[in-house]
Every structure is written in C-alpha cells, then in structure tokens.
Amino acid sequence: MKIVVLVKQVPDTYEDRKLDTAAGLVDRGACEPVLDEINERALEVALRYRDGNKGTEVVLLSMGPEGTASALRKGLSMGADVAVHVLDSALSGADLGRTAAVLAAALRATGFDLVIAGNASTDGGGGVVPAMVAEHLGLPHLTFLDAVEISAGTVAGVRATEHGSLGVHALLPAVISVTERSAEARFPNFKGILKAKKKPLQVLSLAEIGLDPAFAGAGRSAVVTAAERPARTGGTRITDEGTAGEQLADFLASARLI
Amino acid sequence: MSNVLALIETTADGRIRNTAASVLAAAAKLGTPIAVVATAPGAGAGLAAELGSLGARQVCIVENGQAGSLLATPQVDALAAAAERFVPSAILAVNSVESREAAARSAVRLRAGLLTDAVSVRSDGGKIVATHSVFGGAYTVESAVEGSPAVITVRQGAVEGQATPTDAAVTILSAVSAAAASAAINRIDDAPAASSRPELRTAAKVVSGGRGLGSQENFVLVEQLADALGAAVGASRAAVDSGYVPQSHQVGQTGTTVSPDLYIALGISGAIQHRAGMQTAKTIVAINKDTDAPIFDVADFGVVGDVFAVVPQLIKALEARAG
C-alpha cells in the first residue's frame, strides 16, 4: 500500500505568532518554523500500519516555501520513505482553494492508496483542506478521526463532532484526517536522523504536476485588511486578604455580569 | 437583493439543530436568506415553518435517499442543487466539523472562493467581506472572495441577532450522491447535552479550571461556581491531561475557542495555547495563587489568592445577591 501523508511547516505555537499586516500573511520569519505537531501524529498512523504490513510505502507531501525541506527531513527521520515538496513562486499567498488544488494534482502525480492529514493546522486552522482534496479527487473523506483502522482495502474510524461521534468507513482510495487523540508520535532516533539525509526528497513545480499557475476560472479568497488587535492589558489586581471573593462579586455586579 | 444560501444542520432524527438561527441571521445580513436542508425523501415538509420563523424567506428541501447514511456528500449535493436553482451571491454554513467540510467541498465543486471561521459578514457595496479573528484573537483580518459565489463558514455563536420571521416559500429538489465519493456512516452517537449547563462554545459565561485545582474531586469547585453563574464549564489542557475533566471541556488552541462575555479562570497559569482560546472574551477574571501567572496579563480583574478560599466566598456572595 502507498500511503501519502500531507504535512505543513507552521510557526511554532510555543512562541507568539505574528501576522505580516501589510501582506495579510503569516510572518514566517517571526518565529521558528516547525513541522506541525498534528502532522507527526498523521505520520505515526501511517508508520504503525507500515510496521505491521511489509511492502507499505510512506510518502510525505508538502506545499510550501523553500524552508519546508527541514520539516520534510524531520518526517523522514521519523521513518517516512520518501518526501515530495511542491515549490513554486506562484504559490506565495495561496488560499485554501489553491492549496487543495495543488495537493490534489500532486497526489495524482505521485499516486496513492490512502492519504492521511492532520485535522487542522495550528496556523491557518481551517480544517477543510483534506475534504477539499477529496472533492478534487472524487474520493470519500473521513476526517477528524480520533481512532483509525486501516486494512488492505478499507479504512474505518471514529469521528468526533460537536454533537457526539460517528462511526465511518470507506473503501480505498480515500482521504482521512486524524485528531491529536489518534496516535502519540514517535521520536526520531539517531539512526533515523542519519538515514533521513540519504532519503529522496523530490521538488516539483506547478508545471511538473500539470497545473496552470494562473488557476484560470477559479474563485479565490484574498485578505482585504489585517490589523493587530491592541494587546490586552491587565486590569485591577488584588491580593486576597480574606475578602477577595466579596470584592470579586462587587466587580461582577458593577460590570453587570451577574 | 441577491440570494444567500444557508446550510441548515439537522440531528440524526431529522430535527433542525440550534445552529440554524445564527447562520440564517448571518445570511440575512448579505441578502435574501434561503435555508437549504438535505433530508430523506418526504422528511422535510415539517421543517419549513420552523425555518421561516428563524428568518428563512425560502426553504429549499433537497431530498436524498442517502441523507444520514453518507458523510457530508448529501449536504454538498444539496448546496450544489440549490446553487443551480437560486444562483446565490454567497453560501453560508456553520463552522462546525459537520458543515464546514460540506461547504468546503461545495466550494471546490462550484470553483468558488472559500472563507472559513468568519466572526462577522457584511456586504460592502456589493462585495461580500468576512471578518476573522486570527491567532487566538491577536489579529483581526478582513477577507473577500474574487468571483461568485463566496462560500463562507461562520463561527458558532459569533453572529448575534436573528433574522425577521417570515412565511417561507418551499422548494423541493432532489439529489443523488455518488457513493464512491462518500464515506458511509455506520454508527451515530448523537449525544444529547449531558448536563443542563450551557454549551461551552456558545456560552455567554465560562468558568474554567486548571492544574491549580489539584484533583478531579476538587474540580467540583469549578462546576459549583459555573452553576452559580449559569456558566459553561471549561478547562485548561493541563487539567484535561491530569484527568480532572473530559477533553470536550478543553479551552485553547487545540480545544474549543470561546468568546464569552465573562471568562473566569481558576488555577490556570495562562500558557499562550490557553490564552489563544479565550482572550477575545469581553471580561476576563483570574484567580491564581502564583503572582507571576501570565493569565494576569490579560485579566480585567485578577485575584492573587487560594481558589479554595476565594471561590466559596464568591459563591456565597453571589447567592446572597440573588436573594
């Protein structure tokens, strides 16, 4: 089986993330770019299947700027076999629609039986790209899975929603996405890191996956304005000397919150 | 006025979910709201009056033999059929796991631009503009779509108000979903709200507890204050990881994002990841014994003290005021 794991490089959430308010885009220089943690879990789901099923190939696929290679190397050091990086200057500022179109075209080029993604990235957080990729490919999407069962020709799982949960299943090929409850990712070991340097990392342009850089005829979204909200500042602070509960009740009453 | 489609969510047994009012209210800000519902054949007739009372001028029932048994595609096919009939300027859906993917697949099928997680929408000289709150509310971004229609998912609880009730006209269409492009649903656990407390995501008041509570037993204190205020119960990731409460209560970047009028943080230090999920609250109150806790940097009212002393006194004071 060929499993393609979709990955993304994102600003590290352990730092204050910045938006370039002039361009309306993520300021990628403002903090350390890392492989999105949810992608490590998606990769772990693929690697666990490969651990039990010889002949499985795990491919990483990412669309992103130059530095994305380091996120792909991280995934390779965890154990993925091959990485594919779609890199094209025409993709700067690509919206959800273009991102999905590009990933779908790249998937057609690489071939796959199963596509695994994280449920939502920590930067854009749209949580829709896997479903959009599935629509492009005319395939089922099984997303937001807390638990996944992969077998030779099918995939099944439990999907968490706001209202409870759903048991879902589909024949392969299919596109799935997993939540942070799906699998705890392994750490790359020293051997893995050494091996990763020799694993193939293929770079593809839009022309090489058969896409027109103008995306003629497709609607797109664009940022009109972006502004930093004034930082919240701390207000009143008191130290409890026996009456803080009553003072807090007074505050809530004066703010008409009770 | 141009037509605006609003995808209506239904429960497993075919009733309209309580998210309908806000998506119709958002649609009414942009044009003539048309409710679109995917139902089993013959099951939609009773829904029109209720949707009309929520402001739908038209109710478009799209009958589909696979509604409820296939994941998302019956809703995608319903939106596609309704879009062909009504040629809308915008298609709106709730930004829930269920609906946003249906909206997103529709955007691909209609070759339309997609905007997700809008906190408000407006029509600006014929151009539809959505406002988003990004990176946990640190930035406000406005975006628009080139081309028509615009497909927009709207954050639950963000759009206030209600569209004017009408006697909705009903259109019945039918659709068939391609089984090969759909996941099948084999089990539905449509959990009713387990408690009488308000739902976390849309609650006007939220009381959250963190590691400072110390144990699952002590977490009851959070629930007691929540009940005294009529608030929903939230938690930090640390409290969830320690097993004090189920993950569904987690507020923050990897949990639920809340935007209530009042947010009370008990024994929560306020890591960036937690603040990202709550700092758009109108008023923030924090109680923590650690003077240096970062939560105090965003709190309108901070108490440096022991939650086990302050909260019982607060509850008593609230009860005294309630008389």
Side-chain angles (χ1 to χ4, degrees):
Chain A
M1 185 185 306
K2 186 167 184 176
I3 302 176
V4 180
V5 180
L6 303 182
V7 301
K8 185 180 183 187
Q9 192 169 42
V10 298
D12 195 342
T13 59
Y14 283 85
E15 299 172 57
D16 262 323
R17 296 167 298 171
K18 297 267 186 270
L19 207 61
D20 174 343
T21 50
L25 301 175
V26 171
D27 183 350
R28 292 180 191 269
C31 61
E32 184 80 9
V34 295
L35 175 61
D36 203 343
E37 189 201 344
I38 195 69
N39 297 151
E40 296 183 15
R41 294 173 191 268
L43 174 56
E44 180 65 32
V45 170
L47 293 174
R48 282 185 194 175
Y49 182 79
R50 194 190 61 183
D51 288 346
N53 296 274
K54 282 210 162 32
T56 304
E57 185 186 18
V58 177
V59 180
L60 298 170
L61 171 61
S62 189
M63 175 192 116
E66 204 78 49
T68 302
S70 68
L72 289 169
R73 288 284 172 212
K74 167 94 186 278
L76 290 171
S77 68
M78 285 173 65
D81 300 300
V82 190
V84 178
H85 179 189
V86 183
L87 174 67
D88 198 303
S89 57
L91 288 171
S92 171
D95 65 350
L96 291 163
R98 286 184 187 192
T99 303
V102 167
L103 293 172
L107 284 163
R108 281 196 198 97
T110 58
F112 61 92
D113 298 296
L114 175 65
V115 179
I116 309 181
N119 62 337
S121 65
T122 52
D123 57 352
V128 290
V129 167
M132 295 171 88
V133 168
E135 179 69 23
H136 275 290
L137 299 169
L139 294 178
H141 72 263
L142 299 76
T143 44
F144 282 76
L145 300 181
D146 281 346
V148 190
E149 263 177 73
I150 304 166
S151 64
T154 63
V155 59
V158 178
R159 164 182 166 97
T161 74
E162 283 84 352
H163 312 291
S165 69
L166 290 179
V168 288
H169 63 95
L171 296 175
L172 298 183
V175 178
I176 70 171
S177 81
V178 298
T179 70
E180 60 176 5
R181 287 193 280 291
S182 59
E184 203 64 50
R186 64 192 66 187
F187 287 104
N189 58 26
F190 185 63
K191 206 172 130 198
I193 293 166
L194 282 183
K195 273 168 88 177
K197 291 180 181 161
K198 293 182 191 138
K199 287 179 178 172
L201 195 165
Q202 187 183 15
V203 178
L204 296 174
S205 67
L206 283 182
E208 284 169 306
I209 55 171
L211 277 187
D212 160 26
F215 293 89
R220 73 177 299 190
S221 64
V223 169
V224 182
T225 63
E228 188 164 6
R229 190 176 291 191
R232 278 192 98 102
T233 48
T236 312
R237 192 190 309 193
I238 60 169
T239 300
D240 184 25
E241 284 165 351
T243 60
E246 281 153 18
Q247 291 179 61
L248 179 48
D250 290 340
F251 168 77
L252 294 177
S254 67
R256 296 174 191 277
L257 288 164
I258 51 172
Chain B
M1 287 251 278
S2 59
N3 288 330
V4 178
L5 303 184
L7 178 64
I8 304 301
E9 299 185 316
T10 55
T11 59
D13 55 4
R15 285 174 296 119
I16 294 164
R17 283 204 196 274
N18 63 5
T19 52
S22 85
V23 72
L24 283 167
K29 290 181 196 295
L30 301 176
T32 304
I34 300 175
V36 179
V37 201
T39 68
L47 305 178
E50 184 179 350
L51 291 167
S53 75
L54 296 173
R57 294 277 290 279
Q58 284 261 359
V59 174
C60 179
I61 307 284
V62 185
E63 297 187 334
N64 188 325
Q66 295 133 307
S69 60
L70 295 181
L71 183 64
T73 39
Q75 284 72 30
V76 180
D77 291 310
L79 288 175
E84 196 180 319
R85 170 66 69 95
F86 293 103
V87 196
S89 61
I91 299 174
L92 268 52
V94 178
N95 192 52
S96 62
V97 171
E98 245 173 57
S99 290
R100 69 176 161 211
E101 293 180 330
R105 282 191 84 133
S106 303
V108 171
R109 197 172 298 178
L110 300 168
R111 294 177 67 80
L114 173 69
L115 304 171
T116 57
D117 200 20
V119 294
S120 70
V121 290
R122 65 172 203 275
S123 181
D124 192 353
K127 191 172 179 136
I128 291 168
V129 178
T131 307
H132 314 263
S133 182
V134 177
F135 286 163
Y139 293 86
T140 300
V141 173
E142 289 188 330
S143 60
V145 156
E146 291 165 14
S148 186
V151 180
I152 305 174
T153 69
V154 182
R155 185 181 291 187
Q156 294 174 70
V159 175
E160 291 169 355
Q162 190 172 333
T164 318
T166 64
D167 282 322
V170 181
T171 303
I172 297 183
L173 304 176
S174 68
V176 178
S177 295
S182 315
I185 298 170
N186 56 355
R187 187 185 57 74
I188 299 176
D189 174 17
D190 207 6
S195 75
S196 54
R197 293 192 188 108
E199 195 187 6
L200 180 59
R201 192 177 300 271
T202 53
K205 295 173 190 171
V206 175
V207 179
S208 286
R211 207 200 304 269
L213 270 300
S215 73
Q216 192 178 357
E217 292 70 40
N218 290 345
F219 205 84
V220 168
L221 190 66
V222 177
E223 295 169 0
Q224 287 168 345
L225 179 56
D227 291 342
L229 288 163
V233 171
S236 68
R237 182 167 180 171
V240 170
D241 287 350
S242 305
Y244 302 170
V245 276
Q247 206 272 341
S248 58
H249 291 281
Q250 187 175 319
V251 171
Q253 198 169 304
T254 53
T256 300
T257 299
V258 297
S259 215
D261 294 333
L262 174 64
Y263 188 89
I264 301 185
L266 305 178
I268 291 177
S269 66
I272 289 176
Q273 291 83 353
H274 185 74
R275 298 204 313 263
M278 48 64 78
Q279 66 184 356
T280 56
K282 289 199 185 82
T283 301
I284 297 174
V285 170
I287 305 175
N288 199 305
K289 62 181 181 213
D290 175 8
T291 320
D292 298 324
I295 192 80
F296 288 127
D297 298 339
V298 297
D300 299 288
F301 194 93
V303 177
V304 182
D306 180 0
V307 289
F308 301 105
V310 178
V311 174
Q313 189 181 62
L314 171 60
I315 293 172
K316 222 176 194 177
L318 292 172
E319 282 166 355
R321 278 164 198 273

